[in-house]
């Protein structure tokens, strides 16, 4: 039994956007503690992940540990292993002064409980990873939306300080947008208003809706289209949020600054063609690498109600595949890399916000991480369905069509038409829940 307990084990770990160098460092440290366990880390492209995993499961050669976007957790939950209450581990050491003897000592280590997750992690983590009272993964970091801005462009627009409110923000956009003689956009204040050319459009619109008081979803019920009617259409919080978002892409509005003709939002910001960019912490290394000359600054997103701040969460969790032949060792490795010490080490190395309450105060003092964690206790991930890709595409399509001019139709008023766009998008999202 002792020999079996230290039989050589190889764990295959698939990750998408995690820092592979840091993970390999953790794997090497884990091997010192568990000499019989080797962890192979493979980086997989996000768009290829699902097909590769399904094929691996079908061929019975699945990975043991996978990194999943939190919005895909419910999708893959039937194929994942719920976290056990404990794991069995073995230690190997030698003893004896004159006659050396190899000793194998087994040990039972407790795993985090749902109560621990609820008390030690920010609220959204518990809501996201606990499914049917069982834990299906833990994060190394979390991420929230912030406003990146090009200080030089803001200076040229006459703004000495970054915006603190949404009113300040709209004024800064109007001042920093430049047009050519034909009304074409030469420089955008910000990438807002459309869907297809803004990678974070789903998150930004979710932010506006949540701040407007919209119940995006409750349990498995999608609620952002609830209560839409001709009499109350313009006053509906979803419509107010949609109008605020799409006005930035309407030529007849003062805040017009972006349209479908513009390139990708992040690329335009990096090129110095936009003053502001709504992004996440994972965007920071890319911006710094591609625009090292930019006088880059980061601020928290403005709030409609400073006393009840809210932001959106977008992050990854480390889970164990149910078909793994080494679930015990796989969960032991996940336990190891998600201890508070390793989380702090990972977030420090990667410059990402921590998911642990005890580490937030220190990160608030960090010049880079401060804006990300300033609202982290109130971040929310509302989508917990089975197909985030379909849900996201439905919202993006709604945004692009919503901004198109309404053509007179004797069978349908403009209000009815716009209400149907929102309702149809909500129906598609509902089908994925």
């Amino acid at each position: 039994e002792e020999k079996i307990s230290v039989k050589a084990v190889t764990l295959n770990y698939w990750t998408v956007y995690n820092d592979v160098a840091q993970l390999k460092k953790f794997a090497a440290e884990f091997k010192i503690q568990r000499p019989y366990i080797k962890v192979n880390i493979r980086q997989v492209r996000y768009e290829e992940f699902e097909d590769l995993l399904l094929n691996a499961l079908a061929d019975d050669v699945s990975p043991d540990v996978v990194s999943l976007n939190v919005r895909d957790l419910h999708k893959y939950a039937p194929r994942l292993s719920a976290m056990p209450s404990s794991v069995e581990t073995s230690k190997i050491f030698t003893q004896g002064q004159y006659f050396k003897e190899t000793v194998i000592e087994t040990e039972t280590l407790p795993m985090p409980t749902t109560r621990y997750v609820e008390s030690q992690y920010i609220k959204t983590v518990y809501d996201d990873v606990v499914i049917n009272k069982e834990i299906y993964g833990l994060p190394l970091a979390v991420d929230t939306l912030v406003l990146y801005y090009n200080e030089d462009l803001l200076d040229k627009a006459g703004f000495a300080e970054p915006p603190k409110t949404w009113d300040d923000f709209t004024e800064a956009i109007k001042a920093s947008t430049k047009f050519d003689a034909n009304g074409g956009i030469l420089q955008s204040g910000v990438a807002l208003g459309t869907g297809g050319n803004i990678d974070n459009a789903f998150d930004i619109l979710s932010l506006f809706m949540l701040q407007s008081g919209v119940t995006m979803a409750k349990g498995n019920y999608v609620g952002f289209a609830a209560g839409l009617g001709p009499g109350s259409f313009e006053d509906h919080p979803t419509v107010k949020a949609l109008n605020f978002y799409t006005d930035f892409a309407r030529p007849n509005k003062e805040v017009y600054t972006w349209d479908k003709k513009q390139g990708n939002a992040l690329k335009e910001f990096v090129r110095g063609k936009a003053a502001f960019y709504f992004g996440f912490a994972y965007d920071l290394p890319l911006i710094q690498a591609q625009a090292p000359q930019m006088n880059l600054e980061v601020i928290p997103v403005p709030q409609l109600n400073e006393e009840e701040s809210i932001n959106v969460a977008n992050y990854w969790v480390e889970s164990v595949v149910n078909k793994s032949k080494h679930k015990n060792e796989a969960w032991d490795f996940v336990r190891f890399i998600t201890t508070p010490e390793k989380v702090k080490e990972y977030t420090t190395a990667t410059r990402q916000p921590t998911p642990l309450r005890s580490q937030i105060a220190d990160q608030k003092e960090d010049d880079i991480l401060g804006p990300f964690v300033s609202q982290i206790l109130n971040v929310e991930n509302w989508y917990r369905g089975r197909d985030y890709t379909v849900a996201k595409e439905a919202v993006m399509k709604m945004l692009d069509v919503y901004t198109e001019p309404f053509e007179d139709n004797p069978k349908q008023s403009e209000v009815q038409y716009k209400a149907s766009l929102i309702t149809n998008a909500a129906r598609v999202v509902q089908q994925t829940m």
Side-chain angles (χ1 to χ4, degrees):
E1 288 179 355
E2 289 178 343
K3 288 180 179 179
I4 290 173
S5 73
V6 292
K7 185 179 179 181
V9 169
T10 297
L11 297 178
N12 291 305
Y13 180 6
W14 288 8
T15 183
V16 180
Y17 293 121
N18 283 346
D19 188 290
V20 172
Q22 193 61 37
L23 291 180
K24 286 182 176 179
K25 184 174 181 290
F26 288 165
E29 292 171 354
F30 185 66
K31 189 168 177 59
I32 294 173
Q33 294 187 15
R34 313 276 189 269
Y36 55 94
I37 300 178
K38 178 183 179 183
V39 183
N40 288 330
I41 298 169
R42 177 183 177 185
Q43 193 155 30
V44 180
R45 290 166 60 89
Y46 180 71
E47 55 270 24
E48 297 175 350
F49 181 88
E50 183 174 12
D51 288 342
L52 288 173
L53 181 59
L54 293 179
N55 289 335
L57 288 169
D59 295 337
D60 219 20
V61 289
S62 71
D64 302 282
V65 181
V66 288
S67 183
L68 298 170
N69 186 278
V70 68
R71 295 167 188 169
D72 288 327
L73 196 59
H74 282 254
K75 174 181 181 177
Y76 291 109
R79 298 182 173 91
L80 300 177
S81 161
M83 183 184 290
S85 59
S86 62
V87 290
E88 300 294 325
T89 68
S90 296
K91 291 181 179 180
I92 308 173
F93 57 94
T94 58
Q95 67 179 19
Q97 184 175 357
Y98 301 108
F99 300 99
K100 298 297 182 183
E101 175 186 23
T102 299
V103 177
I104 300 170
E105 193 175 88
T106 58
E107 182 181 19
T108 300
L109 296 177
M111 295 293 286
T113 62
T114 55
R115 183 176 181 135
Y116 174 87
V117 174
E118 187 174 21
S119 63
Q120 300 301 311
Y121 286 82
I122 60 175
K123 182 178 181 299
T124 192
V125 172
Y126 176 86
D127 294 339
D128 292 330
V129 305
V130 176
I131 303 172
N132 296 326
K133 299 182 180 180
E134 294 192 287
I135 303 168
Y136 278 82
L138 290 174
L140 289 165
V142 293
D143 214 342
T144 64
L145 271 178
V146 294
L147 263 178
Y148 290 97
Y149 70 93
N150 186 323
E151 190 171 48
D152 292 337
L153 295 186
L154 217 57
D155 285 346
K156 290 175 182 178
F159 279 78
E161 295 184 345
K164 292 182 174 63
T165 67
W166 288 119
D167 287 339
D168 294 342
F169 175 73
T170 56
E171 291 303 313
I173 297 309
K174 288 188 284 186
S176 56
T177 303
K178 296 181 179 180
F179 302 94
D180 61 24
N182 298 317
I185 300 171
L186 290 174
Q187 177 182 291
S188 295
V190 67
L192 274 184
T194 59
N197 53 3
I198 303 174
D199 293 337
N200 296 328
F202 181 93
D203 294 289
I204 302 168
L205 182 61
S206 296
L207 172 74
F208 292 170
M209 287 188 175
L210 289 168
Q211 286 196 10
S212 298
V214 177
T215 301
M216 300 297 290
K218 191 170 185 179
N220 289 329
Y221 174 70
V222 176
F224 65 81
L228 277 175
S232 60
F233 182 80
E234 293 297 337
D235 293 326
H236 195 284
T238 292
V239 175
K240 287 184 175 181
L242 255 176
N243 287 341
F244 181 75
Y245 181 93
T246 55
D247 278 354
F248 292 93
R250 297 183 186 278
N252 62 334
K253 297 293 183 178
E254 278 189 322
V255 291
Y256 174 56
T257 188
W258 188 260
D259 57 30
K260 297 175 186 177
K261 297 177 184 177
Q262 306 305 307
N264 174 268
L266 179 57
K267 289 180 180 178
E268 292 298 286
F269 179 71
V270 167
R271 291 177 59 220
K273 295 296 183 181
F276 290 92
Y277 173 73
F278 284 89
F280 290 95
Y282 63 72
D283 292 315
L284 183 58
L286 186 63
I287 297 172
Q288 291 175 326
Q290 295 189 4
Q293 77 293 342
M294 184 186 296
N295 197 354
L296 180 68
E297 295 292 340
V298 189
I299 56 172
V301 293
Q303 297 289 325
L304 273 180
N305 184 352
E306 287 294 339
E307 295 180 359
E308 297 181 12
S309 67
I310 194 164
N311 204 329
V312 295
N314 189 353
Y315 61 103
W316 297 74
V317 295
E318 315 313 307
S319 302
V320 173
V321 178
N322 203 31
K323 270 199 168 187
S324 167
K325 296 177 177 64
H326 310 291
K327 287 199 282 285
N328 180 77
E329 292 78 7
W331 273 119
D332 186 29
F333 180 67
V334 171
R335 177 203 60 79
F336 175 77
I337 66 175
T338 56
T339 57
E341 297 77 19
K342 293 304 174 191
V343 166
K344 186 171 184 178
E345 194 176 328
Y346 184 85
T347 54
T348 300
T350 60
R351 313 301 289 155
Q352 292 187 60
T354 179
L356 293 168
R357 292 173 177 270
S358 61
Q359 297 175 4
I360 291 173
D362 286 343
Q363 286 198 341
K364 278 185 177 180
E365 302 302 316
D366 188 290
D367 290 340
I368 296 296
L369 292 174
F372 293 95
V373 300
S374 63
Q375 300 160 358
I376 207 165
L377 289 172
N378 298 306
V379 295
E380 183 176 333
N381 163 47
W382 67 268
Y383 184 80
R384 300 185 181 96
R386 293 171 286 103
D387 202 328
Y388 170 58
T389 300
V390 170
K392 180 180 178 180
E393 286 176 354
V395 172
M396 303 278 263
K397 182 178 179 181
M398 175 189 69
L399 285 173
D400 279 334
V401 178
Y402 195 86
T403 57
E404 294 175 357
F406 174 72
E407 296 181 5
D408 289 337
N409 187 337
K411 296 182 180 180
Q412 192 179 42
S413 68
E414 184 174 3
V415 167
Q416 290 173 323
Y417 171 71
K418 288 185 174 180
S420 69
L421 291 178
I422 301 170
T423 303
N424 288 339
R427 186 174 66 248
V428 173
V429 176
Q430 181 66 68
Q431 290 169 354
T432 72
M433 299 299 278

